[in-house]
Amino acid sequence: MTLRSDTAAALYAEVAAAQSEWKLPSITAGVVRDGALVWTGSRGQFATADGGLPGPQRQYRIGSITKTLTAVLVLQCRDDGLLALNDAVGKHLPGIAFGDLTIRHLLSHSGGMNAEPEGPWWERNPGVSFEALAAAMDESQAAGGPDQRYHYSNLGYGLLGEIVVRLRGASWIELVRERILLPLEMRRTTYFPEDPAAEGFSVHPFTGRLAAEPAYDSMAMAPAGQLWSTIEDLARYACFWIDPVPEVLSRESVEEMATPASADPREALNAAYGLGLRLQADDPYLFAGHTGSMPGFVAGLFVDRVRRIGAVALANATYGKCSSVPLDLMRVTMAHEPWLPQEWVPEPELPQGEDLLGHWYWGNTPVTMSVSGCILQLSGALTCRFSPLGPDLYEGRDGYFAGEKLRVVRAPDGSITELNIATFVLTRSPYGR
């Protein structure tokens, strides 16, 4: 699939505007649609100090997009029965400060943990061992108590990385490589930069000249922001969030990660955080992904899982519009080439549930049970999709009844007397009369 020339021109205009307005030495971006990288564009002549050009195969540091890979490792451990998200951190890291917080708190930045480790700014100094990181931790520096508000914490992801290391018995980067990068064929995503790679710069606010930024090994804080990657690799990663690869993570676990778990009160109406993913409203849709920054680099990756589109942007500047560029690129693509819903085809006969179809009443409120893609769909005042679990038993897939059971109650002659969904009773006539 390719995009029309006018769409490509509009996308390039977005990238060019960001590069010019925010004084980015270089920026490179890409759009994925329906499982493929369909457009790339780059602007700027200083991916390196000697005039290297940006492009889809040149590495940039991706900063906190790294956190999403750490979160995937944690969910893999959960799915393999090695931990529970409500486990106390101290269960897996005995004696650690903040040990009463849960793994879920760390994933969703809802534990009130301080944003940064104690000591010199970790992003601009050589990293330390986990033992040194843990020894410097101080609960008196907490930003608040758990579940009081969203407070972003890089430190929390350093702890999450150590938890998976201890559970799996391998280094964090080995786990990232073996359990995520290799299955997704992300061959140009690495711990340290590999040529061709961009150089990190800051731009002097008055002279406009470039100054080189440091790029240290973050060591214990690596799970929060160490990785380097390319547009081509991150396009594959974006496709994973749209169409999960079971070898890496199940679709159900991906959907769990992309469900709001906490929110910044300043942005609660349009932005939230899931389990390792930033969530941005695009009414009525939802963008999921992450932003990233490290000295000399800014990045962004977001997808719309419903409309099956995603975008990535990477730039080598300490500050500037790059993290929001993917959102703009998706909106431009949708404006020029709108998403088409799945083509309707006639439904096959249901293996069970045909007698559930039609009109029902919750009290005297009408609702309708229909079928789409062999999945029961309740619509009206109550909405949910249901999948069969067994004879006369279904489970809610989404909406208000997600995870709840729908039980079909029958009379001795086999006729349905009611549908019971978590005590919500549906009958064929108002109030069952």
Side-chain angles (χ1 to χ4, degrees):
M1 176 183 177
T2 58
L3 300 180
R4 298 195 313 255
S5 59
D6 62 316
T7 308
L11 292 171
Y12 188 74
E14 288 288 333
V15 171
Q19 190 273 337
S20 178
E21 178 182 357
W22 294 95
K23 301 179 176 62
L24 304 177
S26 72
I27 180 173
T28 184
V31 172
V32 299
R33 198 168 193 184
D34 292 325
L37 179 61
V38 295
W39 176 86
T40 62
S42 305
R43 193 89 187 283
Q45 302 178 32
F46 290 93
T48 60
D50 59 1
L53 297 177
Q57 295 183 338
R58 186 179 288 276
Q59 281 189 332
Y60 288 71
R61 203 167 189 181
I62 64 173
S64 289
I65 295 175
T66 301
K67 289 182 174 69
T68 67
L69 289 94
T70 299
V72 168
L73 294 179
V74 172
L75 269 291
Q76 288 176 343
C77 287
R78 191 282 304 272
D79 292 349
D80 289 345
L82 300 179
L83 59 78
L85 298 188
N86 290 328
D87 282 351
V89 171
K91 175 181 178 179
H92 302 281
L93 302 176
I96 197 80
F98 298 102
D100 291 339
L101 298 181
T102 67
I103 291 172
R104 187 185 302 275
H105 283 138
L106 271 56
L107 285 169
S108 61
H109 302 289
S110 60
M113 181 179 285
N114 44 302
E116 309 295 343
E118 294 297 309
W121 190 0
W122 68 276
E123 294 181 358
R124 294 181 174 275
N125 291 275
V128 300
S129 68
F130 183 79
E131 290 71 25
L133 179 73
M137 288 173 56
D138 182 356
E139 292 192 26
S140 69
Q141 300 301 312
D147 300 314
Q148 292 182 356
R149 64 188 178 96
Y150 167 87
H151 184 74
Y152 191 84
S153 176
N154 285 302
L155 178 58
Y157 273 76
L159 304 191
L160 290 172
E162 181 67 13
I163 288 173
V164 298
V165 164
R166 296 190 184 188
L167 289 174
R168 296 289 190 187
S171 73
W172 173 81
I173 187 57
E174 288 173 334
L175 294 172
V176 168
R177 186 182 300 116
E178 296 297 323
R179 301 186 66 87
I180 303 174
L181 302 182
L182 289 179
L184 298 183
E185 300 184 358
M186 296 170 63
R187 300 183 180 90
R188 288 277 291 146
T189 301
T190 57
Y191 192 90
F192 292 116
E194 296 181 359
D195 289 334
E199 297 176 34
F201 296 117
S202 61
V203 179
H204 193 281
F206 306 124
T207 68
R209 299 190 185 101
L210 301 183
E213 289 276 28
Y216 292 110
D217 181 350
S218 301
M219 296 182 65
M221 288 296 292
Q226 177 68 30
L227 295 178
W228 297 69
S229 192
T230 67
I231 289 296
E232 290 186 345
D233 263 21
L234 291 180
R236 295 185 181 93
Y237 193 46
C239 290
F240 159 76
W241 291 109
I242 298 170
D243 288 313
V245 176
E247 183 182 354
V248 176
L249 205 61
S250 70
R251 181 173 295 275
E252 292 74 19
S253 290
V254 168
E255 290 175 353
E256 184 179 2
M257 294 177 72
T259 299
S262 61
D264 185 332
R266 297 165 299 180
E267 300 180 344
L269 295 179
N270 64 9
Y273 205 91
L275 301 179
L277 293 176
R278 289 190 181 276
L279 307 172
Q280 178 74 43
D282 190 52
D283 191 33
Y285 301 103
L286 186 69
F287 294 137
H290 218 286
T291 57
S293 67
M294 287 293 277
F297 294 95
V298 286
L301 180 156
F302 284 92
V303 302
D304 180 332
R305 302 182 65 241
V306 172
R307 291 179 289 182
R308 302 180 54 78
I309 189 172
V312 188
L314 303 170
N316 59 335
T318 294
Y319 175 77
K321 182 181 178 181
C322 179
S323 56
S324 64
V325 167
L327 306 179
D328 296 333
L329 296 180
M330 286 189 283
R331 290 173 178 135
V332 166
T333 303
M334 289 289 105
H336 281 74
E337 300 185 35
W339 170 70
L340 300 178
Q342 186 174 359
E343 183 178 1
W344 180 85
V345 296
E347 293 284 340
E349 183 176 348
L350 285 176
Q352 69 174 57
E354 290 277 354
D355 55 350
L356 274 63
L357 304 181
H359 296 301
W360 293 87
Y361 292 86
W362 172 42
N364 66 351
T365 303
V367 294
T368 302
M369 186 74 78
S370 59
V371 61
S372 178
C374 287
I375 300 295
L376 293 179
Q377 173 72 61
L378 185 66
S379 58
L382 305 174
T383 61
C384 188
R385 294 182 300 162
F386 294 93
S387 297
L389 290 179
D392 285 343
L393 182 64
Y394 300 79
E395 183 176 51
R397 296 180 53 163
D398 49 27
Y400 184 81
F401 297 117
E404 300 284 3
K405 304 299 187 293
L406 182 157
R407 293 177 173 83
V408 181
V409 180
R410 296 184 182 272
D413 63 2
S415 62
I416 299 176
T417 59
E418 66 180 49
L419 305 181
N420 190 301
I421 316 170
T423 74
F424 283 68
V425 174
L426 307 184
T427 55
R428 284 294 191 185
S429 57
Y431 297 111
R433 295 193 291 269

